[in-house]
Amino acid sequence: MTDATRSSALDAVIFDLDGVITDTAEYHYRGWKRLADEQGWPFDRERNEQLRGVSRMESLDLILGDRELDPEEKLALADRKNRYYVESLEQVTPRDLLPGAHELLMQCKQAGLKVAIGSSSRNARNVLDRLQITDLFDAISDGNSVERAKPQPDLFLHAAAQLGAPPARCAVIEDAESGVAAALAGGMLAVGIGPPERVGAAHLRYDNVAQVRLEEILAAAARR
Ligand code: BG6
Ligand code: MG
């Protein structure tokens, strides 16, 4: 990155974690699948796709559908799934960084941009520690930081505030429909990772993180 490509329109890039930096979606799936099997509920990978970027309790509600349970029971079920998920995180190592994720982070930093995590997960710090990239971030906003989950913009606005960056000068990299909606609601540049039917509302879209071009993000920010 040269001075010429350095952005004057962008101060910061906020990264979603699950599905952008690492593929923990598989571990979330296995946790929910184990719980669903134990409870005798139908659940498969296709239904799991609806849970991308969705908070823990909202995920449980989606799995439950019409089944009505009292709040304490739901909390116990969500806790049980979380225990399974946290157990599976013990396997996570730096090798689980998605291709291109570390490179993109470093490019952002070299370009003088601030970088933050904006993840719905309450386990985000644990995952970052296991990936050994916690120290790279200027701010971490996670499922503990705000009340209202994506698609509300609160999490990304929290990250921007921690960075001291105006929302309009932030880009968000997201793999979930709800995350793209949250970025747009926050007035940020949305970069979608995944198929058009999922993240097509974003300003820019790539099939995977390895294809992301920082120059294109900077150019899109300059055009806004
Ligand atoms: C998001 C995942 O990052 O975090 C969702 O995409 C998950 O699948 C959500 O439900 C909440 O995670 P956690 O770790 O707080 O249960
Ligand atoms: Mg995600």
Side-chain angles (χ1 to χ4, degrees), residues 6-20:
R6 204 169 284 227
S7 165
S8 58
L10 205 66
D11 292 344
V13 179
I14 304 172
F15 289 79
D16 173 49
L17 177 62
D18 296 325
V20 170

Side-chain angles (χ1 to χ4, degrees), residues 18 28 51-56 59 85 119-123:
D18 296 325
H28 280 295
L51 311 185
R52 199 177 274 268
V54 174
S55 75
R56 193 182 307 166
S59 299
Y85 177 65
S119 168
S120 307
S121 174
R122 291 174 185 260
N123 295 294

Side-chain angles (χ1 to χ4, degrees), residues 43-55:
F43 185 62
D44 56 21
R45 285 181 190 278
E46 202 182 317
R47 295 189 68 178
N48 187 58
E49 273 302 300
Q50 301 165 1
L51 311 185
R52 199 177 274 268
V54 174
S55 75

Side-chain angles (χ1 to χ4, degrees), residues 15-22 24-25 51-54 118-120 150 173-179 193 198:
F15 289 79
D16 173 49
L17 177 62
D18 296 325
V20 170
I21 303 273
T22 187
T24 34
L51 311 185
R52 199 177 274 268
V54 174
S119 168
S120 307
K150 301 170 189 175
I173 308 199
E174 252 295 346
D175 72 310
E177 188 176 1
S178 61
I193 305 295
R198 197 171 79 208

Side-chain angles (χ1 to χ4, degrees), residues 1-218:
M1 186 68 48
T2 64
D3 282 348
T5 51
R6 204 169 284 227
S7 165
S8 58
L10 205 66
D11 292 344
V13 179
I14 304 172
F15 289 79
D16 173 49
L17 177 62
D18 296 325
V20 170
I21 303 273
T22 187
D23 191 15
T24 34
E26 177 63 21
Y27 298 131
H28 280 295
Y29 167 69
R30 289 185 205 165
W32 287 124
K33 178 69 179 152
R34 186 171 161 191
L35 182 77
D37 287 351
E38 286 167 354
Q39 297 297 119
W41 304 330
F43 185 62
D44 56 21
R45 285 181 190 278
E46 202 182 317
R47 295 189 68 178
N48 187 58
E49 273 302 300
Q50 301 165 1
L51 311 185
R52 199 177 274 268
V54 174
S55 75
R56 193 182 307 166
M57 287 312 287
E58 285 172 60
S59 299
L60 178 61
D61 283 338
L62 286 172
I63 294 171
L64 286 174
D66 292 340
R67 285 178 215 89
E68 298 220 351
L69 300 179
D70 61 52
E72 296 82 57
E73 207 175 339
K74 279 168 66 172
L75 215 52
L77 289 163
D79 281 352
R80 198 192 322 160
K81 179 270 174 178
N82 191 53
R83 278 201 304 279
Y84 300 155
Y85 177 65
V86 171
E87 256 171 51
S88 67
L89 291 182
E90 284 169 23
Q91 307 163 48
V92 174
T93 74
R95 286 192 300 277
D96 292 300
L97 281 159
L98 278 169
H102 192 265
E103 292 80 353
L104 180 59
L105 265 170
M106 296 316 290
Q107 275 178 26
C108 289
K109 291 172 76 75
Q110 281 156 17
L113 298 165
K114 291 252 166 55
V115 291
I117 284 287
S119 168
S120 307
S121 174
R122 291 174 185 260
N123 295 294
R125 278 181 187 270
N126 185 357
V127 173
L128 292 170
D129 286 349
R130 289 180 188 279
L131 294 170
Q132 295 179 19
I133 56 169
T134 312
D135 294 345
L136 293 181
F137 293 95
D138 300 295
I140 295 170
S141 296
D142 64 16
N144 303 298
S145 306
V146 294
E147 289 277 317
R148 299 192 311 165
K150 301 170 189 175
Q152 302 302 325
D154 305 29
L155 188 64
F156 294 140
L157 294 176
H158 184 274
Q162 281 201 82
L163 296 173
R169 297 178 59 84
C170 294
V172 169
I173 308 199
E174 252 295 346
D175 72 310
E177 188 176 1
S178 61
V180 168
L184 295 174
M188 301 177 177
L189 182 83
V191 181
I193 305 295
E197 57 272 24
R198 197 171 79 208
V199 293
H203 295 99
L204 289 174
R205 188 196 67 80
Y206 298 94
D207 288 334
N208 55 58
V209 180
Q211 289 178 1
V212 175
R213 293 285 164 266
L214 181 56
E215 289 80 2
E216 292 176 358
I217 297 176
L218 296 175

